[in-house]
Amino acid sequence: MNAKSLGRKVIILITPLYIRTFIITLFLGLAVFQASCENLIEFPKGSIKIYIPSGTVCKPVNWAIKDLNRDIEKITGSKAQVIRISNVSQIASGNSIVLLNESDASFSMPVVCQGKTNGWESHRVYEDAGKIYLQGADTRGLIYAIYTFSEKVLGIPPLWYWAMREPEKKTTVEVPVGMDYFFDTPDVKYRAWFPNDQDMFNPWKSGREDRRQAWFESMLRLKLNAIEYGCPIFYPTANTTARLYSEADSIKSRGFVLSYTHTVALGTHFSSWDNYWQRIKKMTTSPELSMANENLMFEFWEHAATTMHQSGAENIWQIAFRGSGDVPFWETIPDAPTSDAARAATIQRMWEKQLEILKRVTGNPKPLVKLTMYNEISDFMAAGLLTPPEGENIIWSYVATRRDHYPADDVLQHNSLSPVKMGYYMNLQFTSSGAHLAQAEGPWKMEQNFRVVNDKSPLYYSVINVGNLREFLFTMSANTDMMWNMNTYNTDDFLLSFCKTYFGEEHASVVADLYKDFFNAYWKQRNPEFTYKGVLMDRQFVYQDLRYKQSIMTLRSAFSKKTYDPNPLYRLEERHYNIVPTDHGVNTQVEAVIKCMPTVRDDFMAVANATDVLSSQLPEAYRPFLLSNLQSQAHFMAEISEMFYQYILTYQQYYINKNIAATHVAKSLKAANRARDYLYQNQQGEFSEWYSGDTIDGKFNLKTTIQKIEEVKKMLPTTGIDHLEIEKIQMAVRDGYIFVDQLPENAILSVYNMFGQKCMERKVTVNNSGIPHQLPKGMYIFVIHIGNQSINQKIII
């Protein structure tokens, strides 16, 4: 039969089970009934053997074997014996696991294993004559086969570490005769992750080698093959020899391809200019970084290219010409040209010079090279000012539009006949105005982005920007699935498969719907405009969590002004907020937020409440991942939506009635504190200090966000108005009636089921003695709305 696996294209070939089944019995020191049964293969405790050809052994494979043996020990209580062999005859009779790398020319492949894979990274996990073969067409293919065995046979999913899912102990591992998981060569050759903006990730893994290795392992389990890195070259103070940073060296040791970001040229960038001249060249003062000294730039780049080439790392070379840091070159170099045309011409000339250097250093007339069309490069490309180098060894890696991530004009203008390879870079996380503490872009939007680019020319290179990793594992997994099998991938199919893997068959469809509701809850602050093949990108513009944070910061400054500004989010022209009031039938930013934010809040709250109910119904092993990847994020987004809503009401009333403003800022502050509490509740186990990096240097910085609200609160009077009056309301259900006590004024009662669907709505007053209902038994969310306030309560009927 044919089937798709979670994450990658796979054909599963299984001989009908009625013929016979191998059951590998793993003794755990227990008495086992010894019966004659030709259908059983027994591995007594400690007798599992893994055979691997000596020539295949290298650092990346050794790491994968180490992980496999850890998995076997977790499952069985005992490690396997790893045996290196030089020829087929050394494989003992009986049952065993055999690792094979078809690119290992020193080893003669068994006849039954020949022709089992078909090229780059293709791999297979299959049974033949009682032996289980983990076979790759090359070294990475073998690594993927090892992790596939762990997933498919041992039952350990790719994200087990992040899902805090400990493998289930087993007394037997059943292997059907003829089991055959076959993975064709991937549709996209290079599939990269860019770990940018690691404000939580870096402190969490600092000083912990096990945590560093955990993310390498996870990337390989997801079958990524490249890490897009910043400057990989380290310029030490103690000697005159540059080398790879330890992290870059680890990336190499785990078997990844090293790729580089848009700031890096031939392995270095201008932020390292002084380090090169002072540490390597031993100069007291560095020469000026200027166009007049461009020959010194060429020397700087050639040294970097030589260092990278001698490191032996598998590279996708990057050519680039940008400034020191993530800025255009003219913001760093004082004598840079001032017109767009001259700047574009300079970039083009520097690209060509770097290519010359690279060919000379590597001795390769056609080295694999990538150009990243980021920011000013994208603008110059769209304007027709740049003509990048072309060739079958050249990757043009286009970049999604900044802040709101969709294909930019330059990629839409791409000539499909250009003799270049196609690449694409998309942010799932963004530094200043994007998703950071909660996922937001979603796998449907991810798929739309990559489909557009792939239609222009088949994708050869893909990269997603996910710095902190943990919050974005869902869409990241969808991306890896799509990149392996671009032609048949479907997000809805992937979503259901993902939910079955991490939340169980019984609840998979419910969780899948909640994921959809979560992403659909984000405020679309501007109507979508991007259409491709007649399909509108529905969530082209969304208000991610960092936009909330930036809104609080910008509004805090607005409070210091003497006059009211109905459009206080002043960075609209930079697309920092991208709020278009007229798209919501109003005229100002303040009106747009006040009109839309309560619905956004309620939609997130419906998802949060539904996940609360669902969590109690899930097996305990599934709850931590639901909490970290959906439940706490939904609560967090609901609360910061309330925080933002009440804060902008505070701003509006600040110039009208400061007493009323005081009630709103108190509610905003309380919502901000609840947001922090909901977020921090997913700090468990290995992730008990995950948010320690969200400090003053953090991208969101909850502490400072709360302080800004507190500052406004101190500017306002203590009014004596009890803004928490609504929280005194008590709701109960008895004998077919809903009772509401302590109601201060007319209100609206809304009742939702566990899926967030509204079941009833009724006006209630202080005179209601009881509201009849016909709700079936189950868990419900009762919500009371009084003016701009609301309170919810879970009630079981």
Side-chain angles (χ1 to χ4, degrees), residues 561-568 588 590-591 651-653 655:
K561 298 177 180 178
K562 293 182 179 180
T563 57
Y564 171 72
D565 182 355
N567 295 293
T588 70
V590 169
E591 290 176 300
Y651 174 70
Q652 183 191 55
Q653 290 296 323
Y655 299 90

Side-chain angles (χ1 to χ4, degrees), residues 180-465:
D180 193 349
Y181 294 95
F182 170 56
F183 289 77
D184 204 339
T185 189
D187 289 340
V188 178
K189 187 164 188 175
Y190 292 104
R191 309 167 307 282
W193 171 49
F194 174 29
N196 191 28
D197 301 322
Q198 302 176 51
D199 50 342
M200 265 83 75
F201 193 35
N202 269 335
W204 173 79
K205 65 180 168 41
S206 178
R208 289 285 300 270
E209 182 62 20
D210 58 332
R211 291 178 176 176
R212 288 181 69 247
Q213 295 303 330
W215 72 264
F216 290 135
E217 176 190 337
S218 299
M219 297 305 100
L220 290 168
R221 284 182 176 272
L222 290 171
K223 301 190 180 180
L224 290 168
N225 66 358
I227 303 294
E228 189 160 296
Y229 197 71
C231 179
I233 296 177
F234 177 61
Y235 301 90
T237 57
N239 54 55
T240 58
T241 304
R243 57 175 173 80
L244 295 185
Y245 274 105
S246 60
E247 192 89 330
D249 194 54
S250 293
I251 290 169
K252 168 191 167 186
S253 297
R254 289 303 300 241
F256 290 102
V257 179
L258 262 173
S259 177
Y260 311 111
T261 67
H262 57 281
T263 65
V264 174
L266 304 185
T268 192
H269 51 47
F270 285 139
S271 296
S272 298
W273 179 261
D274 289 340
N275 286 341
Y276 171 71
W277 295 107
Q278 295 175 24
R279 297 180 181 182
I280 304 302
K281 303 298 289 186
K282 301 301 181 183
M283 296 176 65
T284 302
T285 303
S286 304
E288 183 183 27
L289 179 57
S290 67
M291 298 308 302
N293 284 335
E294 68 174 31
N295 284 337
L296 298 182
M297 296 183 199
F298 303 156
E299 177 186 338
F300 174 66
W301 290 329
E302 183 151 351
H303 174 269
T306 302
T307 301
M308 286 305 309
H309 183 59
Q310 292 176 348
S311 75
E314 186 178 357
N315 273 294
I316 299 175
W317 293 96
Q318 174 88 14
I319 60 175
F321 190 57
R322 303 202 80 224
S324 180
D326 193 1
V327 297
F329 78 90
W330 56 85
E331 293 186 20
T332 296
I333 298 175
D335 55 346
T338 57
S339 72
D340 284 352
R343 288 167 173 174
T346 300
I347 292 170
Q348 191 160 324
R349 184 167 58 84
M350 292 302 184
W351 281 346
E352 292 166 355
K353 185 63 182 179
Q354 288 170 19
L355 266 179
E356 291 177 14
I357 293 170
L358 185 57
K359 292 174 183 178
R360 181 170 61 252
V361 168
T362 63
N364 183 354
K366 293 184 177 180
L368 184 60
V369 173
K370 175 170 67 72
L371 301 93
T372 302
M373 313 305 185
Y374 183 75
N375 204 34
E376 71 276 10
I377 309 299
S378 176
D379 293 340
F380 290 161
M381 287 283 290
L385 297 175
L386 268 177
T387 305
E390 294 185 346
E392 293 185 356
N393 61 313
I394 306 291
I395 303 170
W396 288 10
S397 187
Y398 291 97
V399 178
T401 306
R402 297 180 70 188
R403 306 193 190 283
D404 296 287
H405 312 299
Y406 55 91
D409 290 342
D410 56 343
V411 70
L412 298 178
Q413 296 173 11
H414 179 80
N415 182 356
S416 299
L417 298 179
S418 298
V420 296
K421 298 290 192 292
M422 199 70 165
Y424 192 61
Y425 168 113
M426 181 180 178
N427 281 291
L428 299 182
Q429 172 182 321
F430 196 67
T431 304
S432 59
S433 62
H436 199 72
L437 299 181
Q439 55 198 324
E441 297 306 303
W444 298 272
K445 187 173 179 180
M446 180 277 297
E447 180 181 358
Q448 286 177 295
N449 269 265
F450 282 94
R451 288 275 178 233
V452 171
V453 182
N454 190 65
D455 283 353
K456 288 290 182 180
S457 183
L459 270 167
Y460 188 79
Y461 177 86
S462 72
V463 59
I464 49 175
N465 180 338

Side-chain angles (χ1 to χ4, degrees), residues 776-794:
K777 291 183 178 180
M779 176 79 78
Y780 294 88
I781 309 299
F782 283 52
V783 183
I784 290 286
H785 299 278
I786 301 177
N788 293 323
Q789 301 185 64
S790 66
I791 185 172
N792 65 79
Q793 183 177 336
K794 298 182 183 69

Side-chain angles (χ1 to χ4, degrees), residues 12-17 20 22 125-129 175-181:
I12 308 172
L13 306 170
I14 301 180
T15 302
L17 298 184
R20 63 189 175 99
F22 289 130
V125 175
Y126 58 99
E127 179 274 335
D128 187 273
V175 181
V177 171
M179 176 194 72
D180 193 349
Y181 294 95

